[in-house]
Amino acid sequence: MDVPLLASMPEPERTKVLDACQTLRFRRGDVLFHQGDPSDGLHVVESGRLAVRVTTETDDSVTLDVIGPGRVVGELSLVRPGTARTATVLALDDATTKMLTLDAFQELVREHPAVATTAAALLADTVERLTGQLVEALSVNVDRRVARRIWTLAALHGGPVPGTSLPLTQQEMADLAGAARPTVNQSLKRLEAQGAIALYRGGVRIVDADVLRKRAALPTSTH
């Protein structure tokens, strides 16, 4: 399995990490863990898509991210043992993960100290990505943010090419773009009118990737 954040780890540490993981399978709608649950390890996504959601003080559920194969979730539990889960993670499709428990991680660190550095890198990557999304939310207009989220999420469904469909509700798209649903609805309609996408009940389909890239203001080398 290709796990980008483990690519820099030398053998045999990389194989040791994957061998120490438990293979877990989830059906669509299954919850891997709930916000507030005790942390007991991280999950490396092997197949399927997972939604990362948080519940606000007003009991609203907000989707922070959608992750696919090669991505990880729950890495904070390895860096700060004993902390509660900060989000709920559920399967959007049938999914398989490799779970590295805290006990297995601590044993690996004793034998291979370099593993601890990799765990810190996992957390740093998450912080960097979320910080980038926050900066984007403050400095980039909604139309562009929506186009960028569609482009990024398309990678989980075959790539940003004509015909790729994203089975996400407009509320989930609004959460990911950091904007109100009515505002995102108008952005989606403008993208549709420009020929970039087509809207269907419960999702978005890419029609013209070049137009979508231009609306997202992404370089032509972006895939």
Side-chain angles (χ1 to χ4, degrees), residues 114-127:
V115 174
T117 302
T118 297
L122 292 175
L123 183 58
D125 178 77
T126 299
V127 172

Side-chain angles (χ1 to χ4, degrees), residues 100-167:
L100 180 65
T101 66
L102 179 57
D103 289 342
F105 172 73
Q106 292 174 336
E107 179 63 27
L108 279 170
V109 169
R110 283 191 288 270
E111 296 181 8
H112 303 279
V115 174
T117 302
T118 297
L122 292 175
L123 183 58
D125 178 77
T126 299
V127 172
E128 181 179 8
R129 179 166 45 80
L130 293 178
T131 299
Q133 290 180 2
L134 176 59
V135 171
E136 186 182 70
L138 296 173
S139 61
V140 177
N141 66 55
V142 175
D143 284 6
R144 187 168 295 175
R145 296 206 307 270
V146 170
R148 288 181 179 181
R149 292 292 82 76
I150 294 173
W151 185 275
T152 301
L153 291 171
L156 302 180
H157 299 271
V161 295
T164 295
S165 294
L166 311 179

Side-chain angles (χ1 to χ4, degrees), residues 148-217:
R148 288 181 179 181
R149 292 292 82 76
I150 294 173
W151 185 275
T152 301
L153 291 171
L156 302 180
H157 299 271
V161 295
T164 295
S165 294
L166 311 179
L168 291 174
T169 67
Q170 290 192 13
Q171 183 58 61
E172 289 171 330
M173 188 67 69
D175 293 343
L176 293 169
R181 179 179 175 179
T183 303
V184 169
N185 175 268
Q186 293 303 311
S187 293
L188 290 170
K189 287 181 177 179
R190 281 191 287 271
L191 284 172
E192 185 175 43
Q194 292 160 353
I197 63 171
L199 301 175
Y200 64 90
R201 185 177 180 84
V204 175
R205 183 174 64 256
I206 295 177
V207 174
D208 191 319
D210 289 334
V211 173
L212 180 62
R213 184 194 296 112
K214 291 177 181 177
R215 295 302 94 195

